[in-house]
Amino acid sequence: MGMITGDWLEALKPEFRKPYYGKLFAFVKNEYDTKQIFPPADDIFNAFHLTPLKEVKVVILGQDPYHNEGQAHGLCFSVKPDVKIPPSLVNIYKELHEDLGCYIPNNGYLEKWAKQGVLLLNTVLTVQAHAAFSHRGKGWEEFTDAAIRILDEQDRPMVFILWGRPAQMKKSMLHNPAHLILEAAHPSPLSADKGFFGSRPFSKTNAYLEENGLIPIDWQIENI
């Protein structure tokens, strides 16, 4: 299992000493030793590595990682450059096109967002191959809830984008008036027509950042 580094390590250090984390670590290690688990172990904490706490401007919450071969690499909704774009991300790109006019790229690699301060955080960070939600309820939620609380404590402008009911359930943890919360249906094909399309999260996020003197996000993912 990879290690968290940088300012997130300092912020999350108390979690590593709690009993639940010891059990979670042992469970995850055994899963990697005995089964096919995604993402690769060194990629588990990529969201934290690519978006240091001090640089977070936007938080997008996902659920658990993609569970098919080669997809997950530690950023919610993102896939590696040579992997087919998953349906939810196809819909995210459609909304981005309608909202800001960005062209729809030929890949689903969202590292560019992460490096601009968009924390792409799943609430569960590992999954067994071809078994969605298989690592739910094992302790990851407690760990990522701690990260969400830390983010809420940052007294600077920040946008939380909550798509779908599981993400919206985290709203009760967010109390900071410096933060903007945007809610909409999940971009999944099952629910995108129920309020995701037309929600304009990208332009609303950038407007809020600019109002508060921050550089907006360049949401355009380029073709490879």
Side-chain angles (χ1 to χ4, degrees):
M1 196 155 128
M3 286 295 296
I4 289 182
T5 56
D7 57 0
W8 274 114
L9 175 61
E10 191 60 35
L12 287 165
K13 196 177 285 182
E15 300 306 304
F16 300 129
R17 295 191 285 268
K18 293 180 180 179
Y20 87 86
Y21 192 84
K23 292 177 185 176
L24 171 63
F25 185 90
F27 167 77
V28 171
K29 183 179 185 307
N30 182 66
E31 288 285 284
Y32 275 95
D33 287 346
T34 59
K35 298 170 186 169
Q36 187 178 24
I37 304 298
F38 300 130
D42 288 344
D43 290 345
I44 292 173
F45 296 119
N46 271 354
F48 300 104
H49 296 157
L50 289 167
T51 314
L53 175 58
K54 67 180 183 297
E55 295 177 14
V56 176
K57 296 193 284 189
V58 183
V59 182
I60 297 179
L61 288 180
Q63 297 180 48
D64 70 339
Y66 295 124
H67 55 82
N68 290 326
E69 191 79 39
Q71 292 180 306
H73 66 104
L75 303 179
C76 73
F77 295 108
S78 180
V79 291
K80 292 180 181 178
D82 56 346
V83 175
K84 182 180 178 183
I85 302 172
S88 290
L89 185 52
V90 168
N91 287 337
I92 290 170
Y93 282 163
K94 286 179 181 176
E95 177 62 19
L96 180 55
H97 175 70
E98 291 298 318
D99 190 4
L100 291 177
C102 294
Y103 70 80
I104 295 175
N106 62 3
N107 69 93
Y109 193 50
L110 304 182
E111 185 178 85
K112 177 182 175 180
W113 294 359
K115 288 183 172 179
Q116 294 179 82
V118 182
L119 183 69
L120 297 166
L121 183 64
N122 280 312
T123 53
V124 174
L125 300 186
T126 55
V127 68
Q128 186 179 329
H130 316 302
F133 308 122
S134 49
H135 286 184
R136 183 189 276 175
K138 303 297 184 182
W140 278 129
E141 294 92 341
E142 194 165 346
F143 183 76
T144 54
D145 278 359
I148 293 167
R149 281 192 292 272
I150 290 164
L151 289 162
D152 187 57
E153 291 165 3
Q154 306 303 302
D155 202 19
R156 62 178 194 270
M158 195 179 294
V159 182
F160 286 82
I161 298 176
L162 308 180
W163 289 329
R165 190 166 151 72
Q168 289 163 13
M169 288 172 69
K170 305 297 182 184
K171 185 179 179 181
S172 62
M173 302 170 60
L174 304 174
H175 310 288
N176 195 322
H179 300 163
L180 174 67
I181 300 172
L182 299 176
E183 298 179 80
H186 195 275
S188 159
L190 297 174
S191 54
D193 288 325
K194 299 174 182 173
F196 174 74
F197 289 134
S199 61
R200 305 183 70 85
F202 308 102
S203 60
K204 289 175 181 176
T205 292
N206 280 356
Y208 191 77
L209 295 176
E210 290 184 290
E211 284 166 16
N212 286 279
L214 296 173
I215 297 171
I217 305 299
D218 176 8
W219 294 102
Q220 179 69 69
I221 299 295
E222 285 82 16
N223 284 335
I224 291 176

